[in-house]
Amino acid sequence: MNDPFPLSPWERRFENAVEIVPYVTLAVSLVISLASPDQPPGGIARTLGLAALALAWIAGTRALLPAAVRRRRIHVTVHFLGVLATAALLTFHDPIFVIYCISGFFLAAHFAPSRWTFAAVATTSCILYGSTLDWSQATLQLIAFYLVIIAVQTIAIGGGSIAGLKIEERQRKYRKAASDLQTAMAENADLHAQLLAQAHQAGILDERQRMAREIHDTLAQGLTGIITQLRAAQRVEDSDAHIARALTLAQDSLTEARRSVSALQPHQLEDAHLPEAMTTLARGWSESTGVDLHVEVTGDRVPLSPAIEVTLFRVAQEALTNVAKHSGATRAGLTLSYTGPVVLLDIRDNGTGIHHPNSEGFGLSSMRQRVRGVGGSLEFETTPGEGTAVSATVPAIQGDRR
């Protein structure tokens, strides 16, 4: 599993430096010690022996062990104490090995961030100054001076080490957050492009469905009426009335086609509200079909939003067309009811009914889509030989008064 907060290049360089500092300081101290001309009898041999012991401890407890073992707190503590112990022995033997003792300050970083960092720095400082102090000549003031230095050094080095790690940890989190943000932005850009493409396709589909509904509700119904009138004209000698009616239907159909392309409302609703438009629709339908149609409006009439009025008008238009084409009815009724929060539209007939009510054609599907589009519902009931009833319920969203 990848580390969510990987080490920065600076941290990796510092960790590598901590690993090699004991070797470097030990080597420098050893070279300077051996180069000193004032060597007591057997001093070189003792120096080499103690240096070999220190080197064996560093390598044996650090370099030769697996990384998983080196990271354990108990191992870090034992390794640190061993380095300080060998440093103390070498420094009491030759003060120049105080250079090697300095590596304890670097090793204290392995305890950060915790209070043990301060303990490690303080221990290193005590050995560093204690091994170089001439205790036979020490005074109370000198000891106090060294204690103050140790305290300040402990706070400065330990606190600096912890603060550096905290700052680096915060920076790692910032880098991770910035990386996550860039990834999220890239994903959002791809998602946005996908949504735009989907919205474009959905818009095309919605427009196709709208045009299909408008063509079905206007041109198809108008052409049906024209054909009906022309057929009637063929059956009678005085056909002028039927031809005139067919011409009127053709002109209305052309007007509706133009309005559908422009996404305008039906011309019956242009200067009137829904009840008046329904009455006009019913009168024209009854005249062209010869079916007696009773229109009733109940409740307190309120001006509805154009979308609601267009929906109910188109549903009534489609339902009446179905009555004329399929039912063979002699009577029909249209009721528009204002009931406060909703408006109800009922169209019923005394025709033959539908023998396969579960098989919906485009007209009924178009009515359902229209009603659902304004947050309403459509119910359809039919019984063979007893007629058909269509009921639409839509929210009474009010519009501006004309």
Side-chain angles (χ1 to χ4, degrees):
M1 182 177 179
N2 295 331
D3 186 358
F5 302 115
L7 296 178
S8 66
W10 181 89
E11 285 181 302
R12 287 193 292 269
R13 286 193 295 268
F14 182 77
E15 282 198 345
N16 294 333
V18 170
E19 296 297 328
I20 65 174
V21 160
Y23 298 98
V24 174
T25 54
L26 178 61
V28 171
S29 302
L30 181 59
V31 170
I32 296 175
S33 177
L34 295 177
S36 175
D38 301 326
Q39 289 287 348
I44 294 178
R46 286 194 299 272
T47 299
L48 292 174
L50 291 173
L53 176 63
L55 179 61
W57 179 263
I58 297 172
T61 60
R62 197 69 185 171
L64 301 181
L65 294 177
V69 177
R70 295 200 303 264
R71 284 194 292 266
R72 295 175 182 174
R73 177 55 59 88
I74 183 65
H75 176 268
V76 171
T77 304
V78 171
H79 173 71
F80 174 77
L81 294 177
V83 170
L84 288 188
T86 55
L89 292 174
L90 285 166
T91 304
F92 281 116
H93 168 68
D94 187 348
I96 196 61
F97 281 95
V98 73
I99 298 174
Y100 172 56
C101 189
I102 293 175
S103 61
F105 293 125
F106 290 86
L107 296 177
H110 287 306
F111 296 95
S114 71
R115 62 181 182 275
W116 296 108
T117 305
F118 294 101
V121 173
T123 303
T124 302
S125 299
C126 290
I127 294 176
L128 177 67
Y129 295 112
S131 60
T132 58
L133 180 64
D134 186 358
W135 290 94
S136 62
Q137 302 295 327
T139 63
L140 185 59
Q141 291 179 338
L142 183 60
I143 294 174
F145 174 72
Y146 275 111
L147 290 176
V148 171
I149 292 178
I150 291 173
V152 172
Q153 190 168 264
T154 298
I155 295 174
I157 297 177
S161 177
I162 293 176
L165 289 177
K166 291 292 187 181
I167 292 172
E168 189 62 30
E169 181 182 2
R170 187 179 298 112
Q171 290 177 344
R172 284 201 305 270
K173 291 181 179 180
Y174 287 157
R175 290 195 299 269
K176 179 63 167 54
S179 176
D180 291 344
L181 179 60
Q182 290 178 349
T183 302
M185 291 177 64
E187 293 176 352
N188 286 340
D190 294 339
L191 180 60
H192 181 65
Q194 294 176 6
L195 291 177
L196 285 178
Q198 293 175 359
H200 179 68
Q201 294 299 325
I204 293 176
L205 180 60
D206 289 343
E207 183 61 18
R208 287 176 178 173
Q209 292 177 345
R210 184 190 72 83
M211 290 301 300
R213 289 195 300 266
E214 293 298 332
I215 290 173
H216 180 272
D217 293 344
T218 56
L219 292 181
Q221 294 176 8
L223 291 174
T224 300
I226 293 171
I227 293 172
T228 301
Q229 295 299 321
L230 292 178
R231 286 177 176 173
Q234 290 177 337
R235 294 193 297 268
V236 297
E237 294 182 359
D238 186 9
S239 59
D240 291 344
H242 294 290
I243 294 175
R245 182 60 184 165
L247 179 60
T248 300
L249 288 173
Q251 292 173 340
D252 290 344
S253 298
L254 179 60
T255 300
E256 287 298 324
R258 289 170 176 169
R259 301 177 72 83
S260 297
V261 171
S262 302
L264 298 176
Q265 61 184 4
H267 69 88
Q268 292 93 337
L269 290 170
E270 190 171 28
D271 299 318
H273 283 300
L274 188 60
E276 293 80 9
M278 288 291 191
T279 302
T280 303
L281 172 66
R283 185 185 308 113
W285 181 84
S286 183
E287 290 176 357
S288 63
T289 61
V291 178
D292 182 25
L293 176 60
H294 176 70
V295 179
E296 183 179 4
V297 179
T298 64
D300 295 331
R301 304 183 183 188
V302 294
L304 303 175
S305 72
I308 298 295
E309 291 194 342
V310 169
T311 296
L312 291 176
F313 183 85
R314 291 303 190 196
V315 168
Q317 199 174 38
E318 173 62 23
L320 292 176
T321 299
N322 289 338
V323 171
K325 289 170 60 177
H326 305 298
S327 71
T330 58
R331 292 191 312 276
L334 186 154
T335 303
L336 183 65
S337 305
Y338 292 84
T339 63
V342 297
V343 178
L344 305 177
L345 173 65
D346 296 296
I347 299 98
R348 59 202 176 279
D349 64 74
N350 66 344
T352 59
I354 299 177
H355 295 276
H356 302 285
N358 294 327
S359 59
E360 293 188 4
F362 181 83
L364 186 57
S365 175
S366 174
M367 285 191 288
R368 290 192 188 280
Q369 290 178 2
R370 283 187 180 276
V371 173
R372 289 174 182 171
V374 295
S377 61
L378 184 76
E379 295 182 1
F380 178 75
E381 296 181 1
T382 182
T383 302
E386 297 183 9
T388 303
V390 176
S391 178
T393 304
V394 297
I397 302 175
Q398 297 189 21
D400 297 332
R401 296 183 180 274
R402 295 188 179 92

